[in-house]
Amino acid sequence: VGLISCAVGGSSIEFWLSKENCDKVEETYLPYISNDIHMKKCLGYNGMLNPLKGYNLRGLVWYQGESNTLGTERYYDVALQILMDQCREMFNNQNMLFAMCELARFNGNPYSYSIINERINYVASIDEHVVVARNLDLGEWNDIHPKDKREVAKRAAYEVLRVFFDVDKPAPVELKNYKFNQDGSVTIELSKEVGLLNGTNGFEVFVNGNYTYDCDITVNGNKLTIVANGEITKVRYGYRCEMTPNIVEDVSQMVTVYDENCMPLDLFIISK
């Protein structure tokens, strides 16, 4: 296995796009670009990616997005798909594999980080050559860089081996089905049995026109039942969490649903 490291801390996704592809992105939104050299459009493409053009690369590991949380997070999937098309053309591989890493937790802009992760998962859902390493329970509340970088790498490698190389590894827990019940509760069916390790952390329910953390959850095998003080019309998981000193000390407590392999359920939104 040969690895080429091509990384710049603090870079925006536009930093890695050609001028032509930046123009394509700007047709959808006006990107936030600061005066920081790491954020300037096309600089990484011109100086680091383009010199590698013509190499026959099989795949790419992508961990980026923090610098796109200042106004462009909701369009991140647009730029990401353009980046993937660019790389597949540059490296002579229309089936080039991508291992996308979700952003780990950090206090800078936690909700926008969740939107980036949402958009990464959307891209993976429409491209069979993309896998996602779940990092919702990783990170440091006071440091943008996860101290345990090995775990981030392990999760990316795990999904690459499981999906692309048919290595016999269990799939992570997934949302399969849900039902908004007549009594105002919600039933969620998952792909495997789970446990709740941190109460209701990570769950938000939409009741009486607002999202609230105030809910109760029971688990029975692979099914969760959520009740609140009123009719629930939406459920959001993995986006926000009521911050406590315990969570600041240990961000893994920001979510609560884990499978038997201690892997977290991914973020989701459902509505009635």
Side-chain angles (χ1 to χ4, degrees), residues 69-251:
T69 61
L70 300 170
T72 61
E73 58 271 12
R74 291 193 177 276
Y75 305 98
Y76 188 75
D77 56 308
V78 175
L80 193 55
Q81 289 176 85
I82 289 173
L83 174 82
M84 290 162 54
D85 290 342
Q86 171 183 282
C87 290
R88 284 169 172 159
E89 180 181 355
M90 289 179 65
F91 302 124
N92 307 312
N93 186 354
Q94 290 305 305
N95 293 323
M96 188 174 181
L97 309 177
F98 288 83
M100 305 289 185
C101 298
E102 290 181 342
L103 299 185
R105 300 293 191 175
F106 174 60
N107 68 3
N109 199 339
Y111 181 70
S112 292
Y113 278 38
S114 295
I115 299 300
I116 293 288
N117 291 339
E118 174 192 89
R119 299 294 81 200
I120 288 172
N121 278 280
Y122 170 73
V123 170
S125 74
I126 61 174
D127 192 316
E128 63 181 349
H129 301 297
V130 176
V131 294
V132 179
R134 296 181 183 178
N135 296 325
L136 294 180
D137 59 333
L138 301 181
E140 318 297 331
W141 190 242
N142 296 313
D143 190 342
I144 197 170
H145 301 290
K147 292 179 181 178
D148 189 0
K149 298 177 179 63
R150 181 180 293 273
E151 184 62 27
V152 175
K154 281 173 61 179
R155 292 187 182 184
Y158 186 102
E159 285 301 292
V160 168
L161 292 170
R162 184 182 71 83
V163 177
F164 298 141
F165 292 90
D166 296 321
V167 174
D168 186 16
K169 293 179 176 289
V173 59
E174 301 285 357
L175 175 69
K176 286 186 63 178
N177 207 346
Y178 60 89
K179 180 182 179 182
F180 287 82
N181 303 311
Q182 289 186 347
D183 63 1
S185 66
V186 179
T187 302
I188 294 175
E189 181 183 358
L190 304 175
S191 60
K192 61 172 70 174
E193 293 189 0
V194 296
L196 303 181
L197 300 188
N198 303 302
T200 62
N201 287 357
F203 279 95
E204 302 168 82
V205 294
F206 197 79
V207 178
N208 300 323
N210 294 289
Y211 272 112
T212 175
Y213 303 120
D214 187 14
C215 63
D216 291 310
I217 302 173
T218 56
V219 57
N220 183 11
N222 70 326
K223 292 185 177 180
L224 304 178
T225 301
I226 309 172
V227 297
N229 186 23
E231 181 186 12
I232 302 172
T233 56
K234 298 178 186 177
V235 177
R236 187 163 66 189
Y237 177 73
Y239 284 74
R240 297 181 189 268
C241 184
E242 187 174 14
M243 299 310 301
T244 66
N246 286 342
I247 288 176
V248 172
E249 187 70 24
D250 177 9
V251 299

